[in-house]
Amino acid sequence: MPEIGGKEVGPIGFGLMGLTWRATPPTQEQAFAAMSAAIKNGCTCWNGGEFYGSPDYNSLVLLERYLEKYPEDADKIVLNIKGGANPQTHQTDASPENTRRSLDDCVAQLKGRKKIDMFEFGRRDPAVPLDVTFGLIEKEYIQTGKIGGIALSEVRAETIHEAVKHTKVVAVEAELSLFSTDILENGVAAACAQYGIPIIAYSPIGRGMLTGQFKKFDDLPQDSLLLSFNFPRFRRENFEKNVQLVEKIEEIAKKKGCTPAQLAINWTRALSRRPGMPTIIPIPGATTAERVEENGKLIDITNAEMAEIDDILTKFTPVGGRYPEIFQVNT
C-alpha cells in the first residue's frame, strides 16, 4: 500500500471537485453515497478544495456534513485540501495575510471533525518567496498541530527542487493521464522520484474523455465546465481528433475485459513500477457510488500491454492545450 505523510492510503484515491463545483452538483445524499463508496472500495486519499464551489457549498462544507453523519470515517481518509486563492481577485495569493485567511477558513469549516493532512496552494504565487509562505505555515499551522503538512499543486520541476530546501513536501498534485503525459517528460516526475515524493495524479481519465462516454462533440453535457471555460481539447474543432485516442484505448480495454476508465486509471498506477518513477496515486472523481466502484477497481496491466499503450502514445499527439489560456500551468 502506498503512503502519504506516513499514513497508508489505497492505490487509487478520490477527487471531490465534481461533488460541489459544477453547474448542477449532485444532491448531498448522492454525494454522501459516493464518498461512502470511496472508503468501502479503499479509495482513501481524498482531494478537495476551498474554491471547489461557493463558500457556502465547497469541498470542506460537504466534508464537514459527511463527517458529522459518519464520524468513524475521519480516520480512514488522508485529506488534501487546495486553497490560497484570493476571494476578491480569484488569483493565487500566498501573502501572509491571505495564507492565514485561507488556512483559518479551511480549518474552521471542518469544525474539528477532521485534520487536514496536506494543504497546498492551487498554483505557485510568483510574487511571494516560498520560504516566506512555507515558514509561516510550518510555524503557525504544522508545529501547532492545526494541519499535517504541505503539498504542491501544478508546479514545474524547478519549483519542487526549490521547495524541498524550505519544507518537507508531502505530495505533489499534477495532471497525468493518457492525454496529459507532460510530467513524464518535463522533469516533474523525476524530481518527485529523486526526493521520494508521491504524485497525486488528477484527471486520470482526461476530464471524462477516457470513459468512452463522449463519442462526438455533441455528447458533451451542455452545462459542462469544459464548455463554459472553453477547454482547448474539448473544442469542436479538436474533439474529433482527440477522440481517436479514446477509440484505441477502448480496443485494449475490450480485449482486457475492463472499462476504458479502469484501463486509464490503472495505467497511471502502473507507471510507478518503472525505473526512476515515484509512487503515483490517481484520484479520479465521480458523483455516483456506481462510478466510484468502477473507478476504484485495481487492474493489473502487463508489461506487454504497457508497451502497446506506449506505441499508441508515440503516434498520437493531443490537439489543444491542457487548460484555457486564462489558467496558469506549470507554476
Side-chain angles (χ1 to χ4, degrees):
M1 296 279 277
E3 284 191 2
I4 291 187
K7 297 181 180 179
E8 277 195 354
V9 294
I12 296 172
F14 184 46
L16 301 172
M17 186 179 82
L19 296 177
T20 55
W21 195 19
R22 60 196 314 144
T24 310
T27 64
Q28 185 172 288
E29 181 184 17
Q30 183 179 321
F32 280 11
M35 295 159 84
S36 183
I39 291 176
K40 190 165 72 174
N41 286 276
C43 304
T44 52
C45 176
W46 285 18
N47 190 78
E50 179 189 19
F51 47 79
Y52 285 174
S54 60
D56 59 349
Y57 197 62
N58 58 23
S59 299
L60 294 146
V61 174
L62 182 64
L63 272 163
E64 188 275 322
R65 293 178 185 174
Y66 176 81
L67 293 172
E68 179 183 24
K69 187 172 183 180
Y70 304 105
E72 67 277 9
D73 285 352
D75 291 336
K76 297 175 185 175
I77 59 174
V78 170
L79 180 61
N80 183 38
I81 291 294
K82 190 183 284 93
N86 186 299
Q88 275 72 50
T89 66
H90 304 292
Q91 299 296 311
T92 300
D93 178 358
S95 65
E97 297 77 19
N98 192 61
T99 297
R100 291 189 183 99
R101 179 214 58 78
S102 182
L103 276 157
D104 289 345
D105 286 355
C106 289
V107 170
Q109 185 60 65
L110 288 174
K111 299 180 181 177
R113 301 193 193 281
K114 170 67 184 171
K115 181 176 177 177
I116 295 170
D117 296 289
M118 299 170 278
F119 179 86
E120 63 188 29
F121 282 79
R123 302 289 189 272
R124 178 180 181 173
D125 181 356
V128 183
L130 293 181
D131 62 322
V132 171
T133 305
F134 292 161
L136 184 155
I137 296 174
E138 289 265 5
K139 182 179 179 182
E140 298 184 23
Y141 294 89
I142 296 175
Q143 291 175 17
T144 57
K146 292 180 179 178
I147 68 168
I150 293 169
L152 303 175
S153 173
E154 193 59 45
V155 293
R156 61 191 191 278
E158 292 82 1
T159 297
I160 299 170
H161 290 301
E162 184 182 347
V164 296
K165 296 174 183 175
H166 303 296
T167 191
K168 176 176 174 55
V169 177
V170 181
V172 168
E173 186 184 353
E175 182 170 359
L176 177 62
S177 74
L178 292 158
F179 269 115
S180 302
T181 59
D182 310 43
I183 66 167
L184 306 180
E185 293 110 33
N186 64 13
V188 166
C192 289
Q194 179 179 339
Y195 303 116
I197 302 170
I199 289 177
I200 297 174
Y202 74 86
S203 295
I205 47 178
R207 297 186 168 83
M209 187 79 163
L210 290 160
T211 62
Q213 293 177 4
F214 311 134
K215 305 294 185 187
K216 54 187 186 301
F217 177 80
D218 292 329
D219 290 339
L220 292 169
Q222 289 308 296
D223 64 350
S224 170
L225 294 176
L226 298 170
L227 297 182
S228 55
F229 280 109
N230 199 21
F231 274 71
R233 290 179 184 171
F234 292 84
R235 292 171 188 166
R236 187 181 291 273
E237 65 272 20
N238 297 337
F239 188 90
E240 288 183 8
K241 297 167 186 172
N242 288 327
V243 83
Q244 293 172 21
L245 175 61
V246 182
E247 291 166 354
K248 297 284 188 187
I249 296 306
E250 282 183 307
E251 290 174 14
I252 299 176
K254 189 174 180 181
K255 285 189 292 184
K256 193 164 182 60
C258 66
T259 68
Q262 288 170 338
L263 184 70
I265 292 163
N266 284 278
W267 172 83
T268 65
R269 242 183 14 99
L271 291 170
S272 296
R273 69 177 187 244
R274 291 186 163 174
M277 290 293 288
T279 298
I280 298 172
I281 302 165
I283 51 163
T287 59
T288 65
E290 293 78 15
R291 193 64 69 202
V292 170
E293 190 168 344
E294 176 191 337
N295 290 349
K297 188 171 182 183
L298 299 179
I299 305 287
D300 181 48
I301 302 181
T302 67
N303 289 337
E305 288 162 341
M306 290 295 283
E308 186 179 357
I309 293 170
D310 284 346
D311 187 53
I312 291 169
L313 296 180
T314 300
K315 297 170 182 172
F316 175 83
T317 302
V319 183
R322 293 190 296 121
Y323 278 96
E325 293 73 13
I326 59 168
F327 288 84
Q328 291 178 300
V329 295
N330 306 320
T331 59

